[in-house]
Amino acid sequence: MAEVQAVKDNDTIRLIGHLLTVRFNPQMADVWNIGLNLALRISDLLSIRFEDIHGNRLIIRESKTGKVANIPLNTKTLELIAKIQNQYPTHTYLFQSHRCQQIKHKAPQPLSRRAVSMAFQQVGKEVNITLGTHSMRKTRGYFLYQATKDIARVMKMLRHSSEGVTLRYIGITQDEVDKDFVSLEL
């Protein structure tokens, strides 16, 4: 399985959101757009319940680490969440599967990781990027690093314990680091 990539330009980010809406449904685009802003692992992103949202903060326990993530929600994310909640006021999950509603007496379930992964892979082929569920998290980390050049901040946001892991995760290559040395003259 190929390692998925960070998306490194805003036009492609918007194109992916558009293609997810057109090729699949607006819910997949919402997963993409909210996922970009939260930088959560896909299992945590899909398991968000409306009750986990407290005003302008998301408070969840991460499934991989067991740590509590207390994330402030930016304006775009709050607007998307409000839109979803207004459209589906009886839903339990932010990204609730519509299939489970068709089966009587079945408890609500979030979208499956597999469904999201397949949608992202297909759109990734269209835009010629190895796209997957980690691409949202990687993209957020990449843009934060480009804006700040502060790997410690990126590590903290992604909750990583190693600079090397973080740099590799967000797709910062040695060529890019070398370019920074050449282009930055003091």
Side-chain angles (χ1 to χ4, degrees):
M1 187 170 169
E3 187 170 324
V4 300
Q5 298 172 297
V7 179
K8 297 182 178 181
D9 70 89
N10 283 311
D11 289 339
T12 306
I13 288 171
R14 284 189 291 280
L15 177 59
I16 290 167
H18 172 73
L19 290 173
L20 285 167
T21 299
V22 172
R23 305 282 186 264
F24 294 91
N25 56 55
Q27 187 180 37
M28 283 297 176
D30 289 340
V31 171
W32 172 252
N33 289 312
I34 291 173
L36 284 170
N37 285 288
L38 296 181
L40 289 168
R41 291 174 185 88
I42 191 66
S43 56
D44 295 324
L45 180 66
L46 295 178
S47 69
I48 294 172
R49 296 170 177 258
F50 285 108
E51 67 188 28
D52 298 328
I53 300 161
H54 305 273
N56 65 348
R57 297 192 84 81
L58 171 68
I59 302 172
I60 61 167
R61 183 166 302 279
E62 293 181 312
S63 60
K64 182 177 179 178
T65 65
K67 295 177 183 175
V68 172
N70 186 336
I71 302 168
L73 303 172
N74 63 30
T75 303
K76 181 176 183 176
T77 304
L78 286 168
E79 287 171 359
L80 288 168
I81 290 170
K83 177 193 78 157
I84 295 166
Q85 201 163 26
N86 287 334
Q87 194 171 6
Y88 302 104
T90 62
H91 278 196
T92 302
Y93 293 96
L94 180 60
F95 303 114
Q96 190 157 310
S97 171
H98 299 291
R99 295 181 109 189
C100 68
Q101 290 178 324
Q102 297 166 357
I103 303 169
K104 289 186 180 188
H105 309 296
K106 183 167 178 168
Q109 297 291 316
L111 284 175
S112 73
R113 178 183 182 142
R114 187 168 190 263
V116 174
S117 180
M118 288 173 51
F120 285 16
Q121 285 174 10
Q122 186 173 329
V123 167
K125 287 177 186 172
E126 282 191 64
V127 296
N128 202 27
I129 294 175
T130 309
L131 199 63
T133 57
H134 275 277
S135 293
M136 299 172 288
R137 195 168 145 82
K138 288 182 175 197
T139 299
R140 180 82 177 176
Y142 176 82
F143 272 84
L144 178 60
Y145 181 74
Q146 291 303 321
T148 65
K149 298 295 186 196
D150 185 346
I151 195 64
R153 277 178 70 179
V154 179
M155 284 174 55
K156 186 149 179 76
M157 181 188 66
L158 296 176
R159 293 168 289 287
H160 283 168
S161 57
S162 157
E163 287 183 11
V165 167
T166 302
L167 286 168
R168 195 169 48 255
Y169 187 81
I170 63 176
I172 301 299
T173 64
Q174 188 61 47
D175 288 345
E176 289 174 283
V177 173
D178 291 350
K179 216 182 296 179
D180 289 340
F181 275 107
V182 172
S183 65
L184 181 62
E185 293 181 5
L186 302 174

